[in-house]
Amino acid sequence: TAPRIIFALYPPGIASAKFLPSGVTINVTFDSPTLMGAIPIDANGDEIPDYWNDEDKILRAPCQQFFDDFTMRLIPDSVCQWTT
């Protein structure tokens, strides 16, 4: 039997989150590149993402698509935007 390679794929982690002086914008930086909201697709069922659709990348959307309910109670009606 061939040896089995065990590894995990982790989503990008938040490296920092800082309010701008205006107090209405939070700049969040990640520790690795993101898919900008696109969802990875596992085409062959091996639990390893094979691709994503660039059309699914989101430049601006309601933050509720990305944050949990607890966070959204703190920042209701907020809009998230990717800049890079």
Side-chain angles (χ1 to χ4, degrees):
T1 304
R4 186 170 187 177
I5 298 173
I6 300 173
F7 65 95
L9 297 174
Y10 296 101
I14 294 176
S16 69
K18 298 177 183 176
F19 276 97
L20 293 183
S22 67
V24 297
T25 300
I26 304 172
N27 278 346
V28 178
T29 57
F30 295 90
D31 61 3
S32 59
T34 74
L35 295 178
M36 301 177 76
I39 298 172
I41 298 168
D42 176 15
N44 56 7
D46 63 359
E47 298 184 14
I48 298 173
D50 298 299
Y51 65 95
W52 62 87
N53 293 321
D54 281 333
E55 307 85 55
D56 293 340
K57 289 184 178 181
I58 301 169
L59 298 180
R60 187 176 174 93
C63 290
Q64 65 192 23
Q65 292 184 15
F66 312 105
F67 291 103
D68 61 17
D69 292 337
F70 176 83
T71 303
M72 288 310 302
R73 283 192 293 275
L74 301 172
I75 56 171
D77 304 319
S78 58
V79 175
C80 289
Q81 178 175 329
W82 268 268
T83 56
T84 58

